Amino acid sequence: MKFLPTLCLSAFLLTSTGCAGLFVAGAATTANIVTDTRTTQEIWYDNNVEFEVAGLSNKVPYRSQARIIASSYNGTVVLMGQAQNDGLLDQFVQQTRQLEGVKDVHTQVRIKPPITLGEISHDSWITTKVKSALLANKELNGVKVKVITEDKEVFLFGLVTEQQANIATDIARNISGVKQVIKAFQYDS
């Protein structure tokens, strides 16, 4: 019978605090959750927006005509990828704006054919190299920087100081294969 009160307390904690993800996520993502200032509901909305955008890009008319991914933080969405034409992109952006939890949309989608599987694989390798270099830097110890690479363009996200943003950007710029670094940071004062 002690199980039920514990379960109720756990459910209460999960719905009332931003650190609740710590109890659910386990040790593998503890550092990400502890440093995240969003509430559990805000994290859920942001993750849901990213999933919805992924689902939208797999539907007609976007399938094979566009490759668009999203990063969302507190309802601010950055769209990245490729679209065959402006009309297709405009339609996609409008549908993204209508998703629950979306407050603002920034577009970094390039008008060109979607990249190939080989190019996607190369982007993954670039992301791995950038993340490794960021983790190895002592000045960024404990700082969470999200890295997404699209067509050799590296996007950096996170809640950082201006100095941390500059260090992370310099590190990413010096990784072999990086064409451009785009800072999409939110700044902590």
Side-chain angles (χ1 to χ4, degrees), residues 119-188:
E119 291 167 316
I120 293 168
S121 177
H122 188 258
D123 284 345
S124 294
W125 176 237
I126 290 172
T127 297
T128 299
K129 292 189 300 185
V130 171
K131 285 182 177 182
S132 295
L134 293 173
L135 285 171
N137 185 282
K138 291 180 183 178
E139 293 174 290
L140 296 177
N141 189 20
V143 176
K144 183 181 182 316
V145 176
K146 182 176 182 179
V147 180
I148 297 175
T149 306
E150 267 300 304
D151 199 17
K152 299 178 187 168
E153 294 180 330
V154 174
F155 294 83
L156 302 175
F157 300 89
L159 181 61
V160 298
T161 65
E162 194 169 337
Q163 180 183 8
Q164 292 166 336
N166 291 335
I167 292 168
T169 302
D170 286 341
I171 290 169
R173 278 191 184 126
N174 290 303
I175 299 296
S176 174
V178 173
K179 179 170 61 176
Q180 179 179 1
V181 178
I182 297 148
K183 293 196 269 187
F185 291 115
Q186 291 188 355
Y187 294 98
D188 189 17

Side-chain angles (χ1 to χ4, degrees), residues 38 40-58 68-80 92-106 146:
R38 297 174 293 171
T40 303
Q41 185 174 18
E42 289 168 333
I43 293 169
W44 185 88
Y45 276 129
D46 286 334
N47 288 339
N48 191 56
V49 166
E50 292 174 7
F51 288 127
E52 290 286 333
V53 168
L56 183 60
S57 69
N58 284 319
I68 301 174
I69 60 172
S71 180
S72 181
Y73 189 85
N74 282 337
T76 299
V77 179
V78 177
L79 298 175
M80 299 156 281
F92 194 94
V93 169
Q94 286 302 333
Q95 288 186 302
T96 301
R97 288 186 195 284
Q98 295 171 3
L99 296 175
E100 185 177 0
V102 173
K103 297 174 186 169
D104 196 15
V105 177
H106 299 278
K146 182 176 182 179

Side-chain angles (χ1 to χ4, degrees), residues 100-115:
E100 185 177 0
V102 173
K103 297 174 186 169
D104 196 15
V105 177
H106 299 278
T107 305
Q108 289 291 316
V109 177
R110 309 301 180 228
I111 303 302
K112 62 181 276 186
I115 62 176

